[in-house]
Amino acid sequence: MKSRFLLVISFLLVSFNLLADDVFVQDFRTRAKLSLNYKPIKEITLSWTEEARFKNNSSSFDRLYSGLGVTYNAHKNFSMGAIYEFQALQKAKDHFQLRHRAKFFVQPSVYFGRFGLSLREMPQMTYSSDIEWQLRSRLKLNYSFTNKHLKPYVSVEMYNPLENVNKNNWVTKVGYQAGIEWKIDAVNALEFYYMFEHEVTKKVGNHIIGIAYNLGL
């Protein structure tokens, strides 16, 4: 138990130290996501997601992510999977940058009482005109109410470049997030969240409000 809390505290201290530098809040943004999930067998989940993002105080379109994924729930305390995303980023009124992204992840979890703690390690490759590799590390703590329909959580995620790394850019972005997952019934679920996204190398930050709808087929 003690080692789990030390892990959480250490991760948060490192991330808040990154936020301690002067940060200019650049924008207020919103995100909306739709996920369809299908379980051919108990241990496997297939998913299709669509996510739209808006910028400039949520007044203009930013980008669209379309994703296909597979998750293997090997154990209550461990899952792994892969995701492919097609991304369309609006760079000008009539110009979009198209990108491809492949992500792989492992996620061990531990539970103590109604609390759950998970660490997700996710290397990802993004291709457009060239290839970029990053490692995303997310620590998430959630709490389950008695009826288990509501699950609030907090998380912090770091983006680490895996090429051309030096002591000044070993973390490029940090996301601090708080939200709540609402399981409406056996097939419908909603998620609401707030995120502060700190772009470390640019010393800017964005306030983000998001909503996600999950449908189990």
Side-chain angles (χ1 to χ4, degrees):
M1 183 75 72
K2 183 177 179 181
S3 60
R4 296 169 190 162
F5 284 106
L6 288 175
L7 177 63
V8 176
I9 292 171
S10 299
F11 203 90
L12 290 174
L13 286 176
V14 172
S15 59
F16 281 121
N17 182 62
L18 293 170
L19 188 62
D21 296 334
D22 294 335
V23 178
F24 172 70
V25 177
Q26 184 184 50
D27 202 3
F28 171 75
R29 301 180 176 184
T30 52
R31 298 176 181 178
K33 185 176 182 179
L34 167 67
S35 297
L36 302 180
N37 303 302
Y38 172 65
K39 287 189 173 186
I41 60 175
K42 182 179 179 181
E43 295 81 9
I44 300 292
T45 302
L46 305 178
S47 60
W48 169 49
T49 61
E50 295 289 333
E51 182 177 31
R53 299 184 178 184
F54 301 87
K55 60 182 179 179
N56 298 327
N57 291 322
S58 302
S59 63
S60 59
F61 179 77
D62 181 20
R63 61 190 66 190
L64 178 69
Y65 288 177
S66 300
L68 293 172
V70 57
T71 301
Y72 173 49
N73 299 294
H75 187 270
K76 175 185 176 182
N77 300 94
F78 183 80
S79 61
M80 58 190 299
I83 302 167
Y84 164 76
E85 283 181 347
F86 176 74
Q87 306 176 350
L89 288 67
Q90 188 166 20
K91 296 298 184 179
K93 183 177 180 180
D94 298 314
H95 174 66
F96 286 83
Q97 179 190 11
L98 304 182
R99 303 194 310 193
H100 302 273
R101 175 172 290 171
K103 301 186 284 189
F104 310 90
F105 69 88
V106 294
Q107 181 171 294
S109 304
V110 292
Y111 300 92
F112 38 102
R114 295 180 184 174
F115 288 93
L117 180 66
S118 64
L119 174 63
R120 187 185 69 187
E121 294 290 355
M122 178 187 288
Q124 68 178 27
M125 183 274 292
T126 306
Y127 172 75
S128 181
S129 56
D130 54 10
I131 295 177
E132 178 187 76
W133 285 92
Q134 283 187 314
L135 174 64
R136 296 169 57 174
S137 302
R138 187 192 71 182
L139 190 65
K140 181 178 180 180
L141 178 67
N142 61 56
Y143 176 83
S144 295
F145 285 101
T146 306
N147 58 18
K148 297 185 178 180
H149 288 291
L150 293 177
K151 186 179 292 186
Y153 68 85
V154 292
S155 69
V156 58
E157 182 172 25
M158 294 184 182
Y159 291 68
N160 307 90
L162 296 178
E163 52 191 0
N164 302 320
V165 181
N166 59 56
K167 64 180 181 179
N168 296 320
N169 72 344
W170 67 276
V171 174
T172 57
K173 185 165 60 177
V174 184
Y176 306 88
Q177 186 167 322
I180 188 166
E181 298 170 352
W182 176 26
K183 187 175 181 181
I184 301 172
D185 53 35
V187 296
N188 297 285
L190 284 171
E191 178 184 355
F192 305 92
Y193 65 86
Y194 163 78
M195 176 191 294
F196 183 77
E197 186 179 66
H198 177 201
E199 298 184 47
V200 178
T201 52
K202 299 179 182 179
K203 291 193 174 183
V204 299
N206 301 307
H207 294 290
I208 299 168
I209 296 292
I211 182 173
Y213 170 66
N214 296 277
L215 174 63
L217 301 178

